[in-house]
Amino acid sequence: MKRVNLTIETTGQLAQCASPRVSKGVTHIAKRTIILLSIFLCAAAVEIHAQEQPEPSAPKLVSVPAVKEKKLRNGLTIAVVEKRAVPLVTIQLLVKSGASVESEDKAGLADLTASLLTKGTKTRTATQIAEQIEFLGGSISSGAGWNNTSVSVTVTSDKLNQAMAILADVVLNPVFDQKELDLLRSQTLDGLTYNLKQPSFLANYVATKYSFGEHPAGGTPKSVESITRSDVKNFHANFFSPDRAVLIFTGDVSAATANAAALRLFGRWKHSHPSARATSQSEKSLPRSSGHLNRLLVIDLPKSGQAAVNYLRPVPAAGRTSKEYFPASVLNSVLGGGYSSRLNQEIRIKRGLSYGAGSSFGWRSADANFSTRTQTKNESAAEVVELVLEEIKKLTESSVGTTELVPRKSVLTGGFGRGLETTTGLARAVGDLYAFDLSPTELNRYTSNVNGVSESQIKQFASKNLLGGDIIIVGDYSIFKDDLAKRFPDLKIEVIQADELDLSKNDLRK
């Protein structure tokens, strides 16, 4: 007697089915009939099960040990979170300066400087740094975003002192070797050359200047090409200073051990005294239109396989430090924060027009950048624009019901809690608070703050901050040109050829 194992996929779930035991005397046709009936019943059971969505469980409170803080004489802040269950420790040096303080003509300087920190010091070559960290069984990384720069090391706790010595060396004694700069600049330019032919990257890239009045944190080909060793050295000298930095320890380490190591290795770090500091040229302002759509820009990328469709809007009064942060975060979870969000449900699951659609906020201290993103066939680009605008409009006209709001809040709190389970995730969360000068006690209030957001707060935030943004489409304009004009007959459509694009110019054209 045989057992035939079958796998059926229904509504995204896999169900293992087995055929019934069949007696030897049953004919071949009868056997097939019995097996097919078994498959049918199993598939029906899977379908019924898929439709029975379980209720979300009660949210679990996140409990993070208190952040023990100390400040050295030179102004360096030490923050320690002890979690002794696993013998791992992450040390992150956070500097409160990132791409926002670089000038537009040197866009990418902060990230280039951060990346070069691990490429050689006065006593270690790039190879030696990599080999020594590998010998410790650890990892080291560095990089810069819009708001800050960081260097992180993760090792087992018994290797703390050796890892700290390397971390201090790369932060305090980088040499910024010309060969390493040339190599990194070449790699960056190669990456940009490739990415600028990708619709999704190009849409985000253009949005930084067109919609948000900023510059790309990763730089432009022109700006990266212009960055010199002198630029890198000056950026490090001007912005890497103990009074602008936080040294964060998370994991299997005591405050006493961390403070002693910090004093020994960073106690002599001196303040920078720059003659002049670069300042960001970006200034956010409200969109000019109070309607549902402000502007529609098409970047024509002939023969592109797909089209990127993004909706962008600056939010001047709702930054990371404002009381709007949590209503905005919950709204984003509803609209585009995950697989079950409204955008993904409408564009991918219901219509199959994309592999995914989502939204996000790029947080600054006093303001934010809101965006939605998706990629679709060129033929359906105009349709997707309408769908995105309709979902945003719904948030401004009707409240989010409890049956939807509760699980979307759970997505936020669950993801936050999981992120704190690792030493690197915990260090990142602590660093995020210090980057915006927020109290580290906010960690333990996150869940209650999210769950305290009301339906009316979400609707009010959407009505005030989401309408009147820009649509940027990057794709083969010849394919969706007529459909776009038909769907938006009263809106001027601005078109720029991709090979004519120049973000250093106000009109974006070479």
Side-chain angles (χ1 to χ4, degrees):
M1 289 177 281
K2 277 188 175 181
R3 292 179 62 83
V4 182
N5 290 321
L6 302 167
T7 300
I8 299 176
E9 184 173 353
T10 306
T11 62
Q13 297 182 352
L14 295 177
Q16 294 278 329
C17 292
S19 71
R21 296 178 183 273
V22 181
S23 302
K24 290 183 178 180
V26 178
T27 65
H28 177 69
I29 295 177
K31 285 181 181 179
R32 286 188 61 190
T33 301
I34 293 171
I35 290 172
L36 290 173
L37 181 60
S38 176
I39 293 173
F40 173 78
L41 292 174
C42 186
V46 171
E47 177 67 23
I48 292 170
H49 175 74
Q51 293 176 359
E52 295 175 352
Q53 297 287 346
E55 291 294 324
S57 59
K60 295 181 179 179
L61 293 177
V62 175
S63 180
V64 181
V67 178
K68 299 177 180 178
E69 185 180 296
K70 182 178 181 179
K71 193 177 288 286
L72 300 185
R73 284 187 175 183
N74 60 6
L76 177 65
T77 299
I78 315 299
V80 184
V81 184
E82 297 183 33
K83 292 191 73 174
R84 315 302 287 270
V86 179
L88 285 175
V89 60
T90 293
I91 312 106
Q92 180 188 93
L93 192 284
L94 177 81
V95 178
K96 300 178 184 179
S97 297
S100 62
V101 298
E102 67 193 10
S103 59
E104 185 175 356
D105 63 328
K106 295 294 180 180
L109 176 58
D111 192 52
L112 209 62
T113 302
S115 298
L116 284 170
L117 292 176
T118 60
K119 302 302 181 183
T121 70
K122 295 176 182 177
T123 58
R124 293 176 172 91
T125 64
T127 301
Q128 288 173 331
I129 292 170
E131 288 177 345
Q132 289 176 21
I133 286 292
E134 184 178 4
F135 180 76
L136 296 176
S139 61
I140 187 168
S141 62
S142 60
W146 186 258
N147 302 298
N148 56 69
T149 300
S150 65
V151 188
S152 299
V153 175
T154 298
V155 290
T156 54
S157 48
D158 60 324
K159 304 295 194 304
L160 173 66
N161 288 325
Q162 299 99 305
M164 276 285 292
I166 298 172
L167 177 67
D169 196 26
V170 302
V171 171
L172 303 179
N173 305 307
V175 292
F176 302 121
D177 182 78
Q178 184 66 50
K179 290 183 179 179
E180 293 289 350
L181 172 59
D182 292 341
L183 176 60
L184 183 58
R185 187 169 50 200
S186 175
Q187 292 170 339
T188 302
L189 289 170
D190 286 345
L192 279 172
T193 300
Y194 172 79
N195 286 330
L196 288 174
K197 297 176 182 178
Q198 311 309 310
S200 59
F201 180 91
L202 190 51
N204 291 326
Y205 187 83
V206 172
T208 59
K209 180 71 176 282
Y210 183 77
S211 297
F212 301 137
E214 298 178 347
H215 60 263
T220 66
K222 186 176 180 179
S223 68
V224 170
E225 185 66 47
S226 75
I227 294 172
T228 65
R229 182 169 181 265
S230 178
D231 293 327
V232 173
K233 289 178 66 178
N234 287 337
F235 188 90
H236 181 266
N238 286 350
F239 297 108
F240 279 67
S241 182
D243 59 317
R244 301 174 63 87
V246 184
L247 188 60
I248 301 165
F249 295 80
T250 57
D252 185 25
V253 58
S254 68
T257 299
N259 290 333
L263 180 62
R264 184 175 70 254
L265 294 166
F266 288 93
R268 295 184 181 180
W269 188 10
K270 296 181 180 179
H271 290 245
S272 62
H273 297 286
S275 55
R277 291 190 174 186
T279 56
S280 171
Q281 301 299 311
S282 66
E283 275 188 24
K284 288 185 175 57
S285 59
L286 286 169
R288 293 185 295 273
S289 171
S290 59
H292 292 162
L293 189 59
N294 181 27
R295 297 175 295 179
L296 203 165
L297 171 67
V298 174
I299 305 298
D300 188 13
L301 191 64
K303 298 182 180 180
S304 62
Q306 292 189 319
V309 178
N310 289 21
Y311 177 84
L312 308 309
R313 191 188 190 278
V315 186
R320 180 62 181 86
T321 58
S322 80
K323 63 181 181 180
E324 303 274 28
Y325 173 74
F326 287 101
S329 297
V330 176
L331 176 150
N332 187 70
S333 182
V334 171
L335 178 65
Y339 187 83
S340 298
S341 64
R342 290 185 177 185
L343 285 175
N344 200 63
Q345 287 277 350
E346 198 66 32
I347 296 172
R348 173 182 174 167
I349 298 174
K350 290 183 181 180
R351 290 175 171 80
L353 296 177
S354 174
Y355 283 114
S359 64
S360 61
F361 283 90
W363 296 108
R364 312 296 185 244
S365 181
D367 49 52
N369 296 334
F370 172 73
S371 62
T372 73
R373 61 200 173 275
T374 190
Q375 196 159 288
T376 186
K377 296 180 297 183
N378 283 290
E379 291 82 354
S380 54
E383 180 184 359
V384 167
V385 172
E386 283 192 334
L387 293 173
V388 170
L389 294 176
E390 182 62 28
E391 290 306 314
I392 291 172
K393 182 182 176 184
K394 286 179 183 177
L395 285 172
T396 69
E397 295 178 341
S398 59
S399 297
V400 180
T402 302
T403 55
E404 181 183 14
L405 188 56
V406 171
R408 299 319 299 164
K409 288 180 177 179
S410 295
V411 169
L412 281 180
T413 56
F416 180 76
R418 286 191 301 274
L420 300 183
E421 291 176 359
T422 65
T423 58
T424 53
L426 182 55
R428 192 180 304 116
V430 174
D432 178 66
L433 294 173
Y434 277 103
F436 292 104
D437 295 318
L438 294 167
S439 170
T441 59
E442 288 291 318
L443 283 177
N444 282 316
R445 290 198 286 266
Y446 182 87
T447 299
S448 60
N449 284 334
V450 166
N451 289 324
V453 173
S454 67
E455 298 173 26
S456 61
Q457 284 178 300
I458 294 173
K459 183 179 178 182
Q460 182 179 12
F461 182 91
S463 300
K464 179 182 176 183
N465 297 297
L466 296 194
L467 297 177
D470 300 329
I471 283 287
I472 296 178
I473 308 174
V474 178
D476 191 334
Y477 184 46
S478 65
I479 298 176
F480 58 83
K481 177 180 179 180
D482 293 340
D483 191 24
L484 193 64
K486 180 180 178 181
R487 293 174 188 265
F488 298 94
D490 300 325
L491 192 66
K492 178 184 176 183
I493 301 173
E494 184 179 5
V495 182
I496 301 176
Q497 298 297 319
D499 57 6
E500 289 296 317
L501 193 64
D502 186 346
L503 259 65
S504 67
K505 303 292 180 60
N506 289 331
D507 64 358
L508 305 181
R509 291 173 171 82
K510 290 181 180 177

